[in-house]
Amino acid sequence: MPRTDRARVGAYGAAACASAYGAMKLAQALGANALADKDPLPPELRERLLARDPLFVASHWALAAAAVVGVVVALATLRPWRAALPRRLLLAVTWTLGILMIARSVGALGHGLVGDVLLLTDVRPPPVGHAALARDLAWWDLLLWSPFFLLWGACWTAAGWRLGRRRR
């Protein structure tokens, strides 16, 4: 693969991840389970999520819309029409999203690889009364959500890096 094509993979990857995430959130907003029961939330919030609390339904719609914006932003880093958007704004958005998603995947924002491993190895005890659920959700986070956010964050940072290296 030529070097110029490899540099574009980050933006296309960020767009693909945003599409997948947005599709899942749209499905949840429309009433599908679509991995909602695997979301690593505290038990009381998880119950509200699964009961389709209006706040959670609204948040799914908002996240689906944000994912559409994410696809547009990711593709804007590659397309000629990005000239209509301030370059510094695109750089700030791509790098910020990349860093936040990587931080989430590692565990700096509460969930992530480190916290999951600590819980699953009993270094950090699970919540009393919800130990089995906490372990189950930690496995899902360790094997699905954290790697997904790590990939998505790496794609955003690669897109930002490519955009930063390109001449105006």
Side-chain angles (χ1 to χ4, degrees):
M1 178 183 302
R3 190 169 194 224
T4 56
D5 290 342
R6 284 190 307 240
R8 301 166 73 88
V9 169
Y12 286 124
C17 288
S19 295
Y21 188 78
M24 180 189 67
K25 290 301 178 182
L26 178 62
Q28 289 174 348
L30 293 172
N33 186 5
L35 296 172
D37 61 334
K38 306 303 182 214
D39 202 334
L41 291 171
E44 61 278 357
L45 291 178
R46 185 173 187 275
E47 288 173 19
R48 288 178 55 196
L49 169 71
L50 297 176
R52 299 204 32 83
D53 181 285
L55 179 65
F56 280 98
V57 173
S59 74
H60 293 320
W61 282 108
L63 289 169
V68 171
V69 172
V71 170
V72 172
V73 169
L75 295 178
T77 65
L78 297 173
R79 302 290 176 215
W81 45 265
R82 79 164 172 246
L85 300 170
R87 185 170 179 271
R88 286 186 180 170
L89 176 64
L90 282 176
L91 279 168
V93 169
T94 56
W95 279 101
T96 300
L97 287 173
I99 290 167
L100 286 174
M101 288 181 182
I102 291 169
R104 187 270 180 232
S105 72
V106 172
L109 303 178
H111 299 290
L113 300 168
V114 173
D116 296 333
V117 169
L118 292 176
L119 190 133
L120 292 169
T121 58
D122 289 325
V123 172
R124 186 182 79 201
V128 177
H130 302 287
L133 176 62
R135 283 191 176 88
D136 183 48
L137 295 177
W139 276 113
W140 275 98
D141 191 61
L142 183 69
L143 299 174
L144 175 66
W145 300 118
S146 291
F148 177 76
F149 281 105
L150 182 61
L151 172 67
W152 199 2
C155 288
W156 277 119
T157 54
W161 178 80
R162 179 187 181 278
L163 182 63
R165 292 187 40 98
R166 293 194 49 106
R167 290 187 210 135
R168 294 180 184 212

